[in-house]
Amino acid sequence: MSAYTFWNSKTIEENEGLVIHVLKAVFIGFLILLLGGSAWGAPTCGPAANADAPDTTSLARELATTGNRAQALVVLDRLLVKDPSDSDVRVLRGIVLSWEGRYEEARTDLEAVLALHKDYSDAVAGLINVEMWSGHPERAEQLASVAVERHPDDPALLLAYSKALRALNRSREALKVIRHLRAIDPSNQTAIEKENSLEDSLRKWTASYDHTTEWFGNGQAPWQEDQVQLNRDTPMGSAIARFSRADRYSLGSQQVEIEAYPHIRRGTYAYVDLGYSPDATLYPRYRIGAELYQNVTHGFEVSGGVRQLHFAGNVHVYTLSISKYHSNWMLTSRAYFTPGLSGTSQSLQFQVRRYLKSATNYWGVRYGFGAAPVGVVTISDIQVLRSSSFAAEFTHRLGRRFNWLGRTGYSREDRLYSSGLNHYLMEGAIYFGF
């Protein structure tokens, strides 16, 4: 049927009637949604659908575990009005309150139950969680220690005890507790994961070897760099000793470097770096770096710092960054500013990283543009006038002690003596924990 036929005088009334019916149906549906009437306005399944459902502990538990905690607390309060001595209801109320972050109220409920029933395992586990979540791991450890002494083979109590011990940096004792649980229940998957994690945390040293090859589209000889690194984790933060050797332009150069990430306070840590090259052929004679990191609200982290590198003269690089952590993702933007005689050069890079199983197991991509978008390391980097770069990286765990890293990158650069230069990079590293 043609458009003309559809809208001819004979069919106008029919079509108008059809349009009016459709509009009525849409309008009625909108009113139903707006007013919450019938099945369109409220869920038809689940405990919240029936406001007249009788108050029971099962209903409250289902409401709490499906995200309806406020409704669950209303049900539990009504049950306690009927029977204030019902310990099951009071324990569940305390647990739901702890999930809501109302720790004082949760503590009151759970302690009231334990005053009457000191071996009520759900109340003990719930109170341990309250103390952990409210920042009192020492109280949690005391509770768990007493409970485990009375019930040495209770899996839930053993897990809670190990968690409290680890929060107090008593990882060797926590591992002993978990190994006892594994002896009781060898197939306990949570205990297996905890054991592996604790064993990893007790390995304070990491040694690594890293090799990078870079080559260019103009046919010049590839650049090579090798690094040997030793990393030590301490209660104050990690410290790294690194030796680097670079071969470029038929020249060789060495550098020794100390890097550290000290914790200052909760949510605040720093980066400090000191490097020295005895030959100063490619690396700066010395390099000094410092940066302060601060966690802020909603998973954001900001930082600001400076690097000073001494070649023929001093080069100062100022940097700012902002990162967002969400679930297993990290998104980072970082800017570099390098003052010079002809003005301040600027560069910006964006990075996305997806963590898989741990902080050392991830993949990521990075894009940067400007002058030396990944920072200044050697004298070759300060020769970059403009560039646009892309890199991808991946780390993977090999067994319990080894990790390897692979990275590849490409950039198109304008340098002091060359324009539109294609620059390629391949990097591989192996890490060993002990």
Side-chain angles (χ1 to χ4, degrees), residues 328 354-362 396-397:
N328 294 328
R354 172 71 161 89
Y355 293 96
L356 303 177
K357 295 181 180 179
S358 68
T360 57
N361 195 353
Y362 60 84
H396 183 67
R397 188 166 182 169

Side-chain angles (χ1 to χ4, degrees), residues 129-343:
N129 283 333
V130 167
E131 302 301 353
M132 290 291 294
W133 297 339
S134 61
H136 301 102
E138 67 288 343
R139 296 182 192 170
E141 187 275 333
Q142 292 170 4
L143 286 165
S145 177
V146 172
V148 167
E149 189 174 334
R150 291 199 301 269
H151 303 281
D153 296 337
D154 187 307
L157 292 177
L158 289 169
L159 284 170
Y161 190 24
S162 70
K163 183 178 179 181
L165 288 168
R166 185 169 187 178
L168 292 169
N169 294 318
R170 295 161 59 182
S171 295
R172 292 191 183 279
E173 295 174 66
L175 181 59
K176 184 178 179 180
V177 171
I178 287 296
R179 284 176 174 168
H180 174 64
L181 174 54
R182 292 269 286 117
I184 298 169
D185 184 5
S187 62
N188 189 308
Q189 190 60 40
T190 302
I192 293 171
E193 293 173 0
K194 293 287 186 184
E195 183 179 33
N196 292 341
S197 177
L198 283 164
E199 288 178 346
D200 290 343
S201 72
L202 289 170
R203 298 189 184 105
K204 301 300 184 181
W205 294 89
T206 304
S208 67
Y209 169 72
D210 184 293
H211 176 78
T212 303
T213 298
E214 301 174 63
W215 65 100
F216 300 86
N218 62 1
Q220 71 182 67
W223 293 353
Q224 311 285 342
E225 184 176 40
D226 295 279
Q227 292 183 334
V228 178
Q229 179 174 291
L230 187 63
N231 184 354
R232 165 69 175 173
D233 287 331
T234 74
M236 293 298 296
S238 62
I240 302 167
R242 183 184 300 115
F243 172 78
S244 304
R245 175 178 172 81
D247 293 288
R248 301 178 180 181
Y249 312 113
S250 301
L251 299 173
S253 188
Q254 293 82 35
Q255 178 182 258
V256 291
E257 195 174 357
I258 300 294
E259 189 176 294
Y261 294 85
H263 297 295
I264 297 174
R265 62 181 184 182
R266 186 172 183 178
T268 307
Y269 66 100
Y271 157 83
V272 292
D273 175 68
L274 178 62
Y276 173 75
S277 174
D279 53 76
T281 305
L282 297 173
Y283 295 107
R285 174 68 69 182
Y286 64 83
R287 59 176 294 134
I288 301 172
E291 189 163 354
L292 189 66
Y293 292 81
Q294 177 63 54
N295 292 328
V296 292
T297 185
H298 300 305
F300 283 94
E301 178 184 84
V302 296
S303 75
V306 62
R307 319 283 192 260
Q308 178 177 297
L309 305 98
H310 181 78
F311 295 100
N314 287 331
V315 175
H316 293 90
V317 182
Y318 300 92
T319 182
L320 299 170
S321 79
I322 180 169
S323 298
K324 166 66 176 177
Y325 295 87
H326 176 71
S327 184
N328 294 328
W329 293 88
M330 181 191 76
L331 295 87
T332 299
S333 298
R334 178 176 287 276
Y336 295 95
F337 306 93
T338 308
L341 295 176
S342 59

Side-chain angles (χ1 to χ4, degrees), residues 404-422:
W404 69 270
L405 174 144
R407 181 180 291 119
T408 183
Y410 166 79
S411 63
R412 186 170 179 85
E413 303 168 347
D414 291 340
R415 291 178 170 264
L416 285 176
Y417 308 107
S418 180
S419 298
L421 187 63
N422 293 318

